[in-house]
Amino acid sequence: MRTLGNIIWHIPFCGFINAICVWLLAILFAITIVGLPIAKGLFEYGSFLFLPFGHEMVDDPTARSSISSLWNAILSILWIVFFGIWLWIFTIFPIVGLFFSIVGIPVAIVLAKSLGTFFNPVGKICVKSKNL
């Protein structure tokens, strides 16, 4: 079922384009050097978008224990204000639209699972899901 979900995500709905766009945004943040924590989270999110069924975005338990946690908090606030809230708003509309079609419901679920990452990509990692 995961494989079928990933095929539906990529073939008719072009999920790989979303992943590539997120990776390009991560590269832009990595170039700035100060945005490296955000870039790392966006690279993980891009990996999630390549195979969203069977994976999930979770908090990295080792990311919060570093000395740079104050810088990560500042970056998280700046991210929410300038990017996160806008990405969240622009993702809500496709989610609602996709729920109206039968085929679009799995894609809407993938986008809904990623809403938390839009608010704070710092310290997020992509892991295999334990659910079947």
Side-chain angles (χ1 to χ4, degrees):
M1 196 62 163
R2 292 177 184 176
T3 305
L4 180 62
N6 286 325
I7 290 171
I8 290 173
W9 169 250
H10 287 297
I11 301 300
F13 292 104
C14 299
F16 60 91
I17 293 175
N18 288 339
I20 291 170
C21 290
V22 168
W23 276 1
L24 290 174
L25 183 63
I27 289 170
L28 289 175
F29 273 98
I31 289 172
T32 65
I33 305 296
V34 295
L36 280 175
I38 291 175
K40 182 183 179 295
L42 289 176
F43 278 122
E44 291 286 332
Y45 180 56
S47 298
F48 167 75
L49 287 177
F50 270 114
L51 293 171
F53 293 94
H55 290 83
E56 58 187 331
M57 295 294 293
V58 297
D59 288 325
D60 186 5
T62 61
R64 300 291 181 209
S65 63
S66 66
I67 296 174
S68 64
S69 62
L70 177 64
W71 179 246
N72 289 348
I74 292 170
L75 279 177
S76 295
I77 292 169
L78 292 174
W79 169 264
I80 290 171
V81 172
F82 292 109
F83 292 102
I85 192 73
W86 299 109
L87 288 173
W88 187 83
I89 289 171
F90 290 131
T91 304
I92 289 294
F93 294 113
I95 288 173
V96 171
L98 286 167
F99 267 115
F100 285 117
S101 69
I102 302 281
V103 178
I105 290 174
V107 176
I109 291 171
V110 168
L111 292 175
K113 284 187 346 183
S114 64
L115 287 177
T117 306
F118 285 150
F119 279 122
N120 188 13
V122 177
K124 297 277 186 175
I125 57 172
C126 179
V127 296
K128 286 194 177 243
S129 179
K130 294 176 183 151
N131 299 333
L132 294 176

